[in-house]
Amino acid sequence: MSGMKVALAEARKALAEGEIPVGAALYCGDRLLWADHNRREQLHDPTAHAEMLCLREGARQLGDWRLQDCTLYVTLEPCPMCAGAMVMSRVGRCVFGAADPEKGCCGSVYDLPADPALHGATVWSCGEGAEESESLLRQCFQARRAP
């Protein structure tokens, strides 16, 4: 199963649990290190974004905080916190589905990984799985706005 398909499956779990439907999967080469989804409501933790959970567990499994040989697949463009964590952990690559024009920091609002002051090495690409990612987000917010 591709990395984005795993991330999308996690996003569907988040939606079913009442979380914002964002999923992520961290791979080192072809090896899936960890897949998770947003758990902020469940854990009462503002940092429990899918990306952060994957980075923490992936580093633990590798026994190293340096994730330069890893690819992070995520259904929504990383926010400032998650983009910063990717840079600080030296994630080699990030592939995300839907752009986030409000908080996205991999090209939409800001391109944090490309900021020369941070000496980042994370490269990113977008669009894979965007249609399903956007659909899950729409479902979530329509349900929250319903009377």
Side-chain angles (χ1 to χ4, degrees), residues 81-137:
M81 174 180 67
C82 295
M86 288 187 326
V87 170
M88 297 308 291
S89 63
R90 301 182 185 164
V91 166
R93 182 171 169 235
C94 174
V95 177
F96 65 89
D100 183 350
E102 293 182 13
K103 295 178 183 74
C105 281
C106 287
S108 288
V109 174
Y110 184 62
D111 191 350
L112 198 142
D115 189 322
L118 301 177
H119 309 289
T122 303
V123 296
W124 57 264
S125 61
C126 65
E128 185 180 339
E131 190 173 305
E132 185 173 353
S133 299
E134 291 164 358
S135 174
L136 290 168
L137 289 163

Side-chain angles (χ1 to χ4, degrees), residues 2-108:
S2 78
M4 187 55 73
K5 286 185 179 181
V6 172
L8 285 164
E10 288 293 328
R12 289 190 291 275
K13 288 179 191 176
L15 183 63
E17 293 172 9
E19 297 277 357
I20 302 297
V22 176
L26 182 68
Y27 282 78
C28 186
D30 292 335
R31 177 179 162 212
L32 174 63
L33 295 176
W34 195 254
D36 220 319
H37 54 276
N38 277 6
R39 295 181 186 273
R40 291 190 310 170
E41 301 297 333
Q42 178 184 7
L43 299 176
H44 310 290
D45 179 354
T47 69
H49 288 202
E51 301 96 307
M52 299 295 286
L53 297 170
C54 284
L55 295 175
R56 283 184 197 128
E57 184 59 24
R60 190 191 70 73
Q61 285 192 29
L62 292 174
D64 193 350
W65 60 268
R66 295 167 194 88
L67 303 175
Q68 67 270 9
D69 296 328
C70 295
T71 299
L72 180 66
Y73 294 88
V74 61
T75 59
L76 181 65
E77 180 179 0
C79 72
M81 174 180 67
C82 295
M86 288 187 326
V87 170
M88 297 308 291
S89 63
R90 301 182 185 164
V91 166
R93 182 171 169 235
C94 174
V95 177
F96 65 89
D100 183 350
E102 293 182 13
K103 295 178 183 74
C105 281
C106 287
S108 288

